Amino acid sequence: MPHTTILDQGLTVITERMPDVRSVSIGFWVGTGSVDEAPAQSGASHFLEHLLFKGTPFRSARAIAEAVDAVGGDMNAFTTKEYTTFYMRLLADDQELGLDILSDIIWSPAFRPEEFESERQVILEEILMHADEPADLVHDLLAGALFPEHPLGREVLGEQATVAAMTVDDVAAFHAEHYRPANIVVAAAGQLDHDRVVEGLAARLADRSGGTAPARVAPTTPPLPRAVLSRSTEQIHLAVASAAPDRDDEDRHAMAIVEHVLGGGMSSRLFQSIREERGLAYSVYAYRMGFQGAGALAVYAGTSPANATEVLDLIQAEFERIAASGLTTEEMESARGHIRGAMALGLEDSGARMSRIGHSQVIHGRVLSLDEIEARLAGFTVDQINDVAARWLPSPRTVACVGPFDTDDELLKGLLTS
């Protein structure tokens, strides 16, 4: 079971001991992401993710990289819409080095002007690279249509214009506002001692204190029905979404079962009907988005222009079929077994354990035990699952398409009316 301590400075520390491993994974989970940026700040969280690895007054970027490489460790970071994470995995004997480096980059970034400018160029290239990946771009297009006029609809990377306009002072001010102890969870898992981790973090915090989770407002503008982006691609990339429970709604547990049956694995309805039976796509899958005050259940498929209308019709029909008729008992049991197995198999290394407890703590404020999750999954009847599907899936759906379209293209007209 995880152990949790909240330091006097406001920092939350959560650890899980794994006595049979030789590693330790440590992550700083900052409760701020792209949703917390003003329009002119779009991309600030992601910019910080890059800049914090560029060094501190005490360590250069090269010194950080050499120190981690010298002990065989891994260090990385990622930015999402609601949080930003910096993490390291290394041998348990090197735990103090991990705490040293992560604490240093989180609390004392240097923001050297020359490094700021070089990293700006890296991020601008990353934005261009992302635009060249239609299978990724369609998900951003979908989010923009689901959450118009809301920061959830903006790209995590930011826009070229906003990234190009940011100054060192802008990003430093964003860091000073959000990178405060009470807005950060430190999660660690592996061969460790909770009290030792707490003591190490408290000593490295010094006089830093305060902070709060960002205030957020749920989307109020209705989703757009369609979003289309013309790109010179070989495939048409489709994403279809319906409203779904937000990150805190109890219906989310039942919707996880619906998601799996819809498109969560090789036995799912859409994988079988679109790929296995008809050979219309190589990649087809379902996924859920759960945010504070908003959620969606989405399906992605990449297919040739000749098959796009048929694939979209099959996806729409499956949404409607589950909404009207629900799942079978056999499908529910298979989905439950898959979720249980995937959850257990995904927790066999310290990095996965750290991610589970860190994500749960920063998003939900607590970590459900595996027994609690098991009990929730086992407690559903098929009628309860189908009630959840019937409440959510009939809602108007949003379709996003990226492909080689012309404004008078008959294919595009078909997709827009499908």
Side-chain angles (χ1 to χ4, degrees), residues 136-151:
D136 296 331
L137 195 58
V138 71
H139 303 292
D140 292 329
L141 187 67
L142 179 67
L146 285 170
F147 311 116
E149 302 175 21
H150 191 275

Side-chain angles (χ1 to χ4, degrees), residues 25-314:
S25 294
I26 307 165
F28 278 64
W29 296 71
V30 184
T32 294
S34 62
V35 73
D36 306 304
E37 300 161 354
Q41 297 173 321
S42 180
S45 296
H46 179 248
F47 212 145
L48 270 174
E49 175 207 319
H50 280 244
L51 285 175
L52 266 57
F53 285 114
K54 300 303 288 185
T56 74
F58 316 105
R59 289 181 170 92
S60 67
R62 183 183 184 91
I64 292 171
E66 288 176 345
V68 176
D69 284 347
V71 297
D74 296 318
M75 182 172 67
N76 214 328
F78 59 90
T79 308
T80 73
K81 292 183 185 292
E82 294 192 318
Y83 56 88
T84 308
T85 304
F86 303 81
Y87 63 92
M88 189 181 298
R89 181 171 179 264
L90 64 175
L91 291 175
D93 290 344
D94 299 311
Q95 172 184 306
E96 293 302 315
L97 175 67
L99 291 177
D100 263 342
I101 291 177
L102 286 171
S103 296
D104 199 12
I105 67 171
I106 290 292
W107 304 125
S108 305
F111 297 133
R112 298 180 182 96
E114 65 278 8
E115 292 170 343
F116 184 91
E117 290 304 324
S118 66
E119 208 59 32
R120 187 204 305 276
Q121 294 307 311
V122 170
I123 294 167
L124 290 172
E125 290 296 330
E126 185 178 359
I127 291 171
L128 292 174
M129 181 178 69
H130 183 70
D132 282 341
E133 297 290 343
D136 296 331
L137 195 58
V138 71
H139 303 292
D140 292 329
L141 187 67
L142 179 67
L146 285 170
F147 311 116
E149 302 175 21
H150 191 275
L152 282 174
R154 295 201 300 257
E155 292 186 16
V156 170
L157 299 181
E159 303 293 333
Q160 283 185 293
T162 55
V163 171
M166 279 184 206
T167 67
V168 173
D169 289 343
D170 293 333
V171 177
F174 192 84
H175 176 271
E177 179 182 359
H178 293 280
Y179 281 55
R180 304 283 297 280
N183 190 39
I184 294 178
V185 170
V186 177
Q191 192 185 95
L192 52 76
D193 176 78
H194 176 79
D195 291 339
R196 182 183 166 196
V197 173
V198 169
E199 290 168 5
L201 289 165
R204 291 168 175 89
L205 265 175
D207 58 352
R208 299 175 182 89
S209 63
T212 185
R216 293 171 180 160
V217 178
T220 56
T221 304
L224 303 176
R226 298 288 186 271
V228 177
L229 186 63
S230 180
R231 284 286 189 274
S232 180
T233 58
E234 296 299 322
Q235 283 191 313
I236 287 178
H237 301 269
L238 300 169
V240 184
S242 170
D246 68 27
R247 72 181 201 188
D248 300 309
D249 193 316
E250 287 301 307
D251 280 354
R252 71 186 188 277
H253 303 290
M255 192 58 77
I257 292 175
V258 175
E259 172 205 344
H260 183 75
V261 172
L262 178 65
M266 290 189 295
S267 66
S268 67
R269 292 188 183 186
L270 287 175
F271 190 94
Q272 287 294 312
S273 67
I274 291 175
R275 174 167 165 159
E276 297 297 284
E277 295 172 13
R278 296 174 176 85
L280 297 176
Y282 176 80
S283 180
V284 54
Y285 58 85
Y287 64 97
R288 285 179 300 131
M289 293 178 267
F291 307 112
Q292 188 172 340
L297 175 64
V299 170
Y300 164 82
T303 188
S304 67
N307 297 326
T309 301
E310 183 180 1
V311 168
L312 180 55
D313 287 343
L314 287 167

